[in-house]
């Protein structure tokens, strides 16, 4: 059997992956306790072996070429497999370690994921979680993310999805608004009210409200004087201030409903929900640290 690798090559691949993750030879060197020159030599060695440039270099940072992105994605998975195999043999397979990078929407991050992190850290002290809280869609390969959490069903067959929960939706308004404008008693009555729109970040188009009409779920296009972008909680804040009706996830307004700051309306047409799922690219091996985080979310998210 012909050898495909040697000790130097495997070490070069590890330094290459560190440089790709850090975006800098110097940062990779600091992270792994070597010199920047050692990282540079390792990358040059790989480029010579492959006959392709892996990085575009500037004086301040490096970025992957197209060939570099493809090579990094495969090497990253390969190194994760080697690490897991080593832990399995040495008996350390029950001790996840390393960095997990995850992208979460702002609302779900603040109300669901961030409050759970202290418990995860207590269980897995050797895992560092880097969490990107934003409604912007990310690129797993280019940006080096392990996981993402997103709402709604996703048609992208390149992603594997594990559902975390079906988050209940509720229509709310401030008592002052209802005192001035009256309480809607039917779906048709929404046309006579100020309804606060929320535009989906990926399309910039207002999201229809989901309501139950008998046994059917219907999408209702609403209109009002306000439309919020990016941050769903801006709609909740507007509703609290008396700007109109708003459909929100129940978990974001539970305290308001308890204290009476907001009031649920159209409860007879409620019962709809949106799925939240944790995603990763199809075919990607999940390192032990990532699998531990996915399993923790699935067991810890309320309603999961």
């Amino acid at each position: 059997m012909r050898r495909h690798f040697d000790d130097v090559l495997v070490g070069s691949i590890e330094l290459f992956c560190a440089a790709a993750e850090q975006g800098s030879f110097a940062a990779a060197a600091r992270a792994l306790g070597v010199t920047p020159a050692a990282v540079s030599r390792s990358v040059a060695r790989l480029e010579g072996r492959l006959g392709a440039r892996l990085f575009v270099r500037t004086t301040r940072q490096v970025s992957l070429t197209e060939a570099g992105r493809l090579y990094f994605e495969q090497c990253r998975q390969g190194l994760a497999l080697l690490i897991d195999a080593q832990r399995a043999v040495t008996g350390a397979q029950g001790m996840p370690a390393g960095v997990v990078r995850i992208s979460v929407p702002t609302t779900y991050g603040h109300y669901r994921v961030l409050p759970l992190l202290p418990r995860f850290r207590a269980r897995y002290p050797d895992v560092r979680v880097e969490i990107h809280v934003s409604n912007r869609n990310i690129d797993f390969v280019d940006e080096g993310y392990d996981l993402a959490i997103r709402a709604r069903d996703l048609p992208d067959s390149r992603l594997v999805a594990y559902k975390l929960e079906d988050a209940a939706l509720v229509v709310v308004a401030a008592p002052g608004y209802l005192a001035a404008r009256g309480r809607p008693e039917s779906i048709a009555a929404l046309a006579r009210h100020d309804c606060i729109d929320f535009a989906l970040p990926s399309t910039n188009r207002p999201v229809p409200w989901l309501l139950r009409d008998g046994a059917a779920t219907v999408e209702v296009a609403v209109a009002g004087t306000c439309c919020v972008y990016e941050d769903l909680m801006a709609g909740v804040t507007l509703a609290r201030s008396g700007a109109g009706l708003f459909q929100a996830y129940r978990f974001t307004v539970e305290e308001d409903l308890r204290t009476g700051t907001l009031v649920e309306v159209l409860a007879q047409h409620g019962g709809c929900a949106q799925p939240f799922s944790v995603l990763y690219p199809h075919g990607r091996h999940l390192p032990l640290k990532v699998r531990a985080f996915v399993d923790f979310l699935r067991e810890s998210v309320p309603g999961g």
Side-chain angles (χ1 to χ4, degrees):
M1 178 179 177
R2 183 172 66 89
R3 290 188 65 187
H4 294 277
F5 304 99
D6 55 43
D7 293 342
V8 173
L9 179 59
V10 174
S12 294
I13 290 173
E14 188 172 24
L15 292 178
F16 158 72
C17 287
E21 291 172 349
Q22 298 287 337
S24 161
F25 287 179
R30 287 194 298 270
L32 296 181
V34 299
T35 65
V39 177
S40 181
R41 285 194 301 269
S42 293
V43 171
R45 188 180 299 117
L46 285 176
E47 290 178 326
R49 182 185 180 100
L50 297 169
R53 291 186 66 190
L54 299 176
F55 287 107
V56 176
R57 299 164 174 82
T58 68
T59 56
R60 300 182 65 87
Q61 63 180 13
V62 294
S63 59
L64 289 167
T65 63
E66 182 62 28
R69 283 193 292 271
L70 293 173
Y71 193 59
F72 170 63
E73 178 62 17
Q74 298 300 316
C75 287
R76 187 169 178 262
Q77 294 184 55
L79 287 176
L81 284 168
L82 289 173
I83 292 169
D84 282 358
Q86 179 173 282
R87 288 185 178 135
V89 172
T90 61
Q93 66 270 28
M95 301 172 59
V99 177
V100 175
R101 300 192 72 221
I102 180 171
S103 169
V104 302
T106 53
T107 301
Y108 207 77
H110 285 289
Y111 281 86
R112 286 297 200 239
V113 180
L114 294 175
L116 296 175
L117 289 188
R119 282 174 49 200
F120 180 80
R121 288 281 297 130
R123 186 182 299 183
Y124 303 110
D126 294 327
V127 178
R128 171 184 169 86
V129 180
E130 295 182 357
I131 184 164
H132 181 265
V133 183
S134 168
N135 293 317
R136 177 181 64 83
N137 288 332
I138 55 96
D139 186 296
F140 280 95
V141 176
D142 286 355
E143 300 181 61
Y145 283 96
D146 297 295
L147 302 167
I149 293 176
R150 292 293 180 262
R152 299 176 172 80
D153 293 316
L154 297 174
D156 193 339
S157 60
R158 297 170 299 177
L159 299 175
V160 177
Y162 285 110
K163 184 183 287 187
L164 295 175
E165 67 173 305
D166 288 310
L169 295 164
V170 60
V171 180
V172 296
Y177 174 88
L178 297 177
R181 299 289 299 274
R183 179 188 291 264
E185 299 296 344
S186 67
I187 295 176
L190 291 174
R192 300 188 294 273
H193 282 267
D194 287 328
C195 298
I196 302 163
D197 275 320
F198 172 70
L200 195 65
S202 60
T203 65
N204 282 331
R205 296 177 181 173
V207 178
W209 291 6
L210 295 182
L211 295 168
R212 300 288 293 176
D213 188 7
T217 298
V218 296
E219 293 187 349
V220 181
V222 297
T225 57
C226 293
C227 181
V228 298
Y229 292 77
E230 292 292 336
D231 188 356
L232 188 78
M233 292 308 297
V236 175
T237 300
L238 284 168
R240 286 194 195 110
S241 69
L245 309 173
F246 187 60
Q247 186 171 62
Y249 297 113
R250 183 177 289 275
F251 66 73
T252 66
V253 295
E254 284 176 330
E255 182 64 16
D256 292 286
L257 294 174
R258 188 185 67 80
T259 61
T261 307
L262 291 172
V263 177
E264 181 178 1
V265 299
L266 294 178
Q268 70 274 26
H269 294 289
C272 295
Q274 288 283 14
F276 277 89
S277 301
V278 59
L279 316 170
Y280 63 89
H282 182 75
R284 173 180 287 184
H285 166 74
L286 285 188
L288 191 61
K289 61 187 179 181
V290 180
R291 170 60 64 186
F293 195 75
V294 171
D295 290 345
F296 175 80
L297 287 176
R298 295 179 72 189
E299 75 178 47
S300 301
V301 169

